[in-house]
Amino acid sequence: MDGRTYSVAAEPVRWYERRKWWKEEHRVYRGLGAGMVDREVWRLQVRLGRARGALHTVDLARHEHSGRWELIRMLDGRGRELREST
């Protein structure tokens, strides 16, 4: 996130949510149905560096087949959106 280092300040929370796979994928190959409809989302409470600064909420999605992570949104301590994925 902009080359900065964040510290996790609370236990992460995980859930699954439906995704609009038809907007994100050009083609779904046979046998890859798992992970196409639902995505694994992790919510982290983080602080910039090791400082005792404001908490930020970060939602990340993990792509099952590639193992890569995507930033979905980042909120400040008041719930205002700082960044959202496109």
Side-chain angles (χ1 to χ4, degrees):
M1 295 179 292
D2 296 330
R4 299 178 180 176
T5 301
Y6 292 83
S7 299
V8 177
E11 189 72 26
V13 177
R14 178 180 73 157
W15 71 89
Y16 290 86
E17 65 182 26
R18 298 283 169 179
R19 68 184 195 90
K20 298 176 183 174
W21 61 267
W22 59 92
K23 290 185 177 182
E24 300 170 9
E25 305 292 339
H26 296 290
R27 181 179 177 140
V28 177
Y29 295 96
R30 181 175 290 175
L32 292 180
M36 296 307 298
V37 176
D38 296 322
R39 67 179 174 182
E40 180 180 0
V41 179
W42 287 82
R43 175 164 285 173
L44 305 170
Q45 298 290 310
V46 299
R47 296 182 196 278
L48 182 57
R50 295 183 182 175
R52 295 191 179 262
L55 278 174
H56 289 29
T57 301
V58 178
D59 289 344
L60 303 168
R62 188 178 75 81
H63 295 269
E64 184 175 329
H65 298 291
S66 68
R68 69 183 178 89
W69 293 86
E70 173 190 358
L71 175 65
I72 300 172
R73 69 188 68 82
M74 185 173 189
L75 307 170
D76 69 9
R78 296 180 182 162
R80 292 181 298 199
E81 202 156 289
L82 300 172
R83 175 182 281 181
E84 182 176 14
S85 68
T86 54

